[in-house]
Amino acid sequence: MSAFDTVVVVDWSAGKRQPEGPRKDAIWTGVARAGRDVAQDYHRGRREVEAWLDDFLAAENAAGRRVLAAFDFPFGYPSGFARRVTGTDDPLALWSWLNDRIIDSETGENNRFDLAEEINRLFPGEGPFWGKPSVDRWPDLPYRKAGIAYDVVPERRQADLAAKASSSCFQLFFNPTVGSQTLTGLPVLHRLRQRHAAAVWPFEDTEAASVVFAEIWPGLIEPAVKAALASSSAEEIRDQVQVRLLARALSALTPSDLRVMMADVPHEAREEAWILGTGHADMLIEKTSGAQLTPPPLSNDCFALPQGVDWTPVDQALRLLRDRLHVVTAVEEVSLEAALGRVLAEAPVAKRSNPPQPNTAVDGYGFAGGRGEGPHILPLIEGRAAAGVPFAGQVPAGYAIRVLTGAALPEGVDTVVLEEDVRSDGAAIAFFGPLKGGANTRKAGEDVTAGEVILPEGRVLTPADLALASAVGLARLKVRKPLRVAVISTGDELVEPGAEAGLGQIYDANRPMLLALMRQFGFETLDLGRIPDDRATLRAALDRAAAEADVVLTSGGASAGDEDHVSALLREAGAMQEWRIALKPGRPLALGMWGGTPVFGLPGNPVAALVCTLIFARPAMGLMAGAGWSEPLGFDLPAAFAKRKKPGRREYLRARVRAGQVEVFKSEGSGRISGLSWAEGLVELPDGALEITPGDPVRFIPYASFTLG
C-alpha cells in the first residue's frame, strides 16, 4: 500500500479559459487510489480547477484520506533567484510574493509578462525571463534568449538537469515552456496550501501532513504515455493519458518506494525544489500498468463432474456451471457516453437528489397553502419563476406568483394552480377551489435522494439508466470490461463462405452465427477462423485465444473420435470434462480450461451448437461478464402441433408464434439449418415422457430472452 490514500495529478496550463468539452493543452486532473484509476477530469480554467481542488481536498480530509497532490510545473527557481526577488532564500516566501502581484481574471487574462518584466528589472543586464507573443511589447522582457548571460542565477535548476527536462522555468513563450505555468500556478498553490494546511515537498517536513504538494514531470513516463496512446482504440487526449498514468503510478508505490524517492534529493532541492521520481523513472513506468481490479482465475477442475455421474440432466449441468464459475472481467471507470450496454461493477450512488429542489409540475400560479370550496382571488407579485431561472425573493402570504413547468418553487410557495383554471388581469388571479395544499408540485428528492443507490451492481446499462445517472449528477460509472470471446471452427471439411467448395466440403456456418450471437450478447469477439484437423495448429490457436480472450467457443471436435482434436488437447492439458448432457439436440459438450481460460467445446452441428450456446454458454458467460446468472424468460402458449416424447432427455424444438399458438419446424433433424432462421425461439419440453396434442400448453422461449440485460 502507498503512504497516501489518494493521489491527484494536475496537468497545468497558463492559457486562457477554454470552451466546454475536453481539449488538449488545457488543465486536466487525474485521481487514483492503490494503483487504480478513479477519474480524469477536464477543467476550463485556473479558477475552475482551484475551486475543484478546494472541494476535492476538503472531501478527502472529511473522509480521513491522506492526499498527495502533484503538479507538473516547477515549485522553485534556480539558487539565488528567491533571495534576489524577496530578500530571502525561502521558496515559499517567493510563492507569497508572486501571489500578491499576479492578476489572473476569470477568463484567464493575466499579467504574467508584466510581472516577468518587473522581476527582470531586479537583475542586471538582460533576463533572466524571456519569450513573449509580441516583439514590441514588454521592452524589459527579451523576445529571444540570445544575449542573456545567466551569470547571476543559473538558467536551469539541478532538478531540470537530473531529469533532462526540456524547458527552463525562465522561458515564458514558445514550446516547450513551463515558465508561464509556474508564474500562474505558484500563486494558486500558495492559496491552497494556506487553506488546507498542506506541506510542500521537499521544502517542508511532510510526515504528519494530511495533504502534501509535490512537483512532477510527465516526461519521466513518456514511454508509457506513447505506448498507451498507440494502443488506445479511441482518440485519447495526451494530457488525460498523462494524468491517468502518473496518478496510477504514484498511487501504486509502496511506502518504502515513496520514502526512497522523497529522500533521494540533493541539498539544492531545499531551495530549488525537485521533480518527484527523478532517477526512478523505470519504477514509475512499471507502476503505470496499474493494479487492475481483476477477479482470480478459474480453477482447472471447475468443470469436474461429481463421482459416478454419467448422463447429466440439464438442470444439474446448469447448477454446476452457476456454482463453479465467477466473474472474470476487470473493472474500469468510463464516461456516461461510453457506458451503454456495459455491466455495472459497482452500484452507483446519487450525488444529489432528483429533483434537487421542490418544483412545479405545470404552468400556472404558485402560492402558500391549499384553498377550500368557492372562488378565490389572490394579488400577483411582480416577477416569475421559470426552469433554470429561479425567483430570487420571497412570496408573501396571501399573494401568488407566475410559475412555469420545472421551475424551483420560490420561498413562500408550496401549491400551484393550473394555468387553465385561472383568470388573470395581470394584477391578480381568480380561480375556484377546492385545491389541495401541495397540488401540482414535486417534492425535492421524490424520485431519488442524494446518497441513494440508483442502480444495482451487475445491471447492464440502458439509455434510461444513463439518463438517471446524469440526473443525479454522475458523469462516470464503474463498469466491467466487456467479456472477450474467442470463436474457433474446426474441421478439414470446412471452407469459407464464398470460396470454392470441393467434394465433401461444406461452408462454415457456425462461426458467423456464433460471432454474431456474441456481439448480440454485448461481448467483444476474437475471430480465430477455421482450424484444420491438425493438433499443432489448433494448439497454437488455443494458446492465442487463452492469451487474448476471457472465454473460448469452439465448434466441432468435441467428441471422442479420431479427429476430435479439441477434446484430445483438453485431455492432454489435464482439464477436460466431457459432459454427456441429457439433451436433444446437443448431448456432448466439452468443457475445459486452456491456459487458465474456460473453453466451451460445442457440437459441430449448427442446430446443436446454437442450442448448447443459448442454454449453457449464454448464462455462464453472463455470470463471467459480471451480469449475474440469468434464466431465459419463457411463457406458456397453446401448441399448434402434436408430439409424443420419450423420457430421459430434455428437448428443444425450433418454434415460432402465429395467431397466439406455437408452431414448430416441420423437421427435428439437426442438419436443417433453415429451421434456425425460420424460428423465433425454442419450445422447451421437460425431461420426462410427454404427449402433446394441439391446444396443450407448452413453454415457448423467444430468442430475444437470451440476450444480455
Side-chain angles (χ1 to χ4, degrees):
M1 290 292 293
S2 172
F4 295 93
D5 303 296
T6 304
V7 172
V8 56
V9 171
V10 184
D11 187 302
W12 201 253
S13 171
K16 293 181 181 179
R17 187 171 186 262
Q18 298 290 310
E20 293 281 359
R23 291 172 182 270
K24 66 178 183 177
D25 301 325
I27 299 178
W28 283 86
T29 54
V31 179
R33 297 190 183 99
R36 299 188 182 105
D37 308 328
V38 174
Q40 302 96 50
D41 293 298
Y42 162 76
H43 306 272
R44 296 179 62 188
R46 290 177 292 281
R47 291 277 188 94
E48 284 86 352
V49 78
E50 183 175 353
W52 183 90
L53 285 165
D54 264 332
D55 292 342
F56 176 81
L57 294 174
E60 292 296 294
N61 180 61
R65 289 193 284 261
R66 189 169 187 241
V67 180
L68 174 64
F71 299 80
D72 75 332
F73 54 81
F75 279 17
Y77 286 86
S79 295
F81 180 86
R83 176 169 291 276
R84 191 85 186 190
V85 175
T86 68
T88 172
D89 292 327
D90 182 4
L92 296 177
L94 180 62
W95 288 22
S96 178
W97 190 93
L98 292 172
N99 180 64
D100 291 342
R101 289 161 177 78
I102 195 76
I103 300 170
D104 202 353
S105 73
E106 189 171 340
T107 62
E109 300 282 352
N110 60 74
N111 67 334
R112 66 185 189 273
F113 297 114
D114 302 287
L115 185 55
E117 265 199 312
E118 180 183 342
I119 295 172
N120 277 357
R121 287 194 286 268
L122 300 174
F123 288 81
E126 296 286 301
F129 285 104
W130 66 274
K132 55 186 177 179
S134 168
V135 176
D136 300 322
R137 288 189 67 187
W138 305 287
D140 289 326
L141 182 64
Y143 185 68
R144 296 288 186 187
K145 186 175 72 170
I148 302 177
Y150 291 109
D151 48 3
V152 177
V153 293
E155 181 184 5
R156 294 176 184 271
R157 305 174 300 160
Q158 291 299 310
D160 302 324
L161 298 174
K164 297 183 173 66
S166 54
S167 177
S168 162
C169 51
F170 293 127
Q171 181 182 338
L172 300 181
F173 205 67
F174 312 114
N175 286 329
T177 175
V178 294
S180 287
Q181 294 181 12
T182 308
L183 287 180
T184 58
L186 291 181
V188 174
L189 292 191
H190 172 76
R191 295 190 291 271
L192 291 171
R193 172 176 174 263
Q194 291 188 319
R195 290 195 289 264
H196 299 280
V200 182
W201 176 85
F203 304 150
E204 300 175 298
D205 182 6
T206 61
E207 278 298 315
S210 59
V211 178
V212 174
F213 290 168
E215 178 186 336
I216 47 88
W217 180 50
L220 290 177
I221 62 163
E222 180 61 16
V225 173
K226 283 184 176 178
L229 289 168
S231 63
S232 175
S233 58
E235 286 292 328
E236 286 198 280
I237 295 173
R238 168 178 276 270
D239 300 335
Q240 182 180 6
V241 173
Q242 289 178 167
V243 297
R244 181 176 75 235
L245 295 184
L246 265 172
R248 182 191 297 172
L250 291 170
S251 71
L253 293 171
T254 65
S256 59
D257 290 338
L258 204 51
R259 275 195 296 271
V260 170
M261 280 191 187
M262 298 182 86
D264 187 16
V265 297
H267 174 74
E268 293 87 351
R270 301 291 295 181
E271 179 185 346
E272 293 187 341
W274 196 251
I275 296 169
L276 184 62
T278 300
H280 305 275
D282 289 345
M283 183 188 299
L284 283 177
I285 291 170
E286 178 186 343
K287 298 294 185 182
T288 59
S289 59
Q292 292 295 327
L293 190 58
T294 306
L298 295 166
S299 63
N300 266 3
D301 61 353
C302 68
F303 294 126
L305 290 171
Q307 284 289 98
V309 171
D310 187 8
W311 284 94
T312 310
V314 169
D315 288 339
Q316 184 181 359
L318 291 171
R319 274 196 304 273
L320 289 169
L321 289 172
R322 184 177 62 232
D323 294 344
R324 295 177 180 184
L325 296 174
H326 60 65
V327 182
V328 299
T329 49
V331 176
E332 63 179 349
E333 188 175 71
V334 300
S335 65
L336 293 187
E337 292 82 358
L340 181 63
R342 301 291 291 275
V343 178
L344 273 175
E346 183 179 289
V349 174
K351 275 190 174 180
R352 73 169 190 171
S353 299
N354 183 50
Q357 302 95 25
N359 65 74
T360 173
V362 298
D363 289 347
Y365 297 86
F367 45 85
R371 293 295 185 271
E373 297 275 358
H376 300 276
I377 297 177
L378 295 177
L380 280 172
I381 69 167
E382 189 175 342
R384 69 172 193 173
V389 189
F391 179 72
Q394 180 175 355
V395 178
Y399 282 77
I401 185 173
R402 175 74 166 143
V403 294
L404 302 180
T405 303
L409 294 182
E411 190 175 349
V413 172
D414 61 14
T415 303
V416 175
V417 60
L418 198 65
E419 181 175 349
E420 291 86 339
D421 295 336
V422 171
R423 283 188 179 174
S424 174
D425 60 2
I429 59 170
F431 62 93
F432 281 97
L435 187 68
K436 186 178 178 181
N440 301 313
T441 65
R442 306 184 185 102
K443 296 178 181 178
E446 70 174 27
D447 179 25
V448 179
T449 57
E452 181 182 346
V453 172
I454 60 168
L455 295 166
E457 179 183 340
R459 182 177 177 87
V460 180
L461 289 162
T462 67
D465 296 336
L466 303 183
L468 176 59
S470 182
V472 297
L474 299 176
R476 301 179 69 81
L477 297 171
K478 287 188 177 179
V479 298
R480 293 279 174 186
K481 289 189 174 181
L483 192 76
R484 190 163 169 79
V485 183
V487 177
I488 300 172
S489 286
T490 67
D492 287 339
E493 74 279 12
L494 298 179
V495 294
E496 198 71 13
E500 192 69 33
L503 186 64
Q505 291 185 312
I506 59 173
Y507 293 113
D508 182 6
N510 281 349
R511 206 170 88 257
M513 175 181 70
L514 294 173
L515 288 167
L517 198 57
M518 294 305 106
R519 288 190 288 267
Q520 195 174 59
F521 291 163
F523 305 146
E524 291 184 353
T525 58
L526 175 63
D527 182 4
L528 292 183
R530 297 170 293 103
I531 305 300
D533 290 323
D534 177 79
R535 203 158 293 186
T537 305
L538 180 58
R539 182 183 288 109
L542 289 172
D543 285 344
R544 182 185 169 192
E548 299 182 27
D550 302 306
V551 184
V552 185
L553 289 185
T554 68
S555 61
S559 193
D562 293 343
E563 298 297 339
D564 288 317
H565 298 291
V566 172
S567 52
L569 283 173
L570 290 174
R571 285 192 189 92
E572 278 183 24
M576 161 67 183
Q577 296 294 328
E578 185 178 8
W579 287 14
R580 300 177 68 202
I581 300 171
L583 171 76
K584 178 183 178 183
R587 281 199 300 190
L589 181 62
L591 296 169
M593 302 292 293
W594 189 270
T597 301
V599 179
F600 286 80
L602 303 170
N605 185 294
V607 177
L610 179 69
V611 169
C612 284
T613 300
L614 295 179
I615 302 303
F616 298 106
R618 161 62 188 90
M621 289 190 292
L623 191 154
M624 287 185 278
W629 185 274
S630 62
E631 303 284 348
L633 179 64
F635 45 92
D636 290 343
L637 290 173
F641 62 93
K643 178 176 172 63
R644 181 175 294 175
K645 175 188 172 298
K646 295 179 181 180
R649 287 201 290 175
R650 186 167 303 182
E651 294 189 19
Y652 291 91
L653 309 177
R654 287 152 283 175
R656 67 184 186 186
V657 177
R658 292 293 183 272
Q661 294 186 311
V662 182
E663 303 176 351
V664 295
F665 190 58
K666 58 188 177 184
S667 169
E668 295 181 17
S670 294
R672 302 289 291 272
I673 301 175
S674 62
L676 294 176
S677 179
W678 173 92
E680 297 166 349
L682 302 172
V683 160
E684 181 183 61
L685 303 181
D687 300 348
L690 186 68
E691 184 169 351
I692 300 169
T693 58
D696 289 344
V698 292
R699 185 172 187 244
F700 175 71
I701 308 173
Y703 284 148
S705 73
F706 292 100
T707 57
L708 195 64

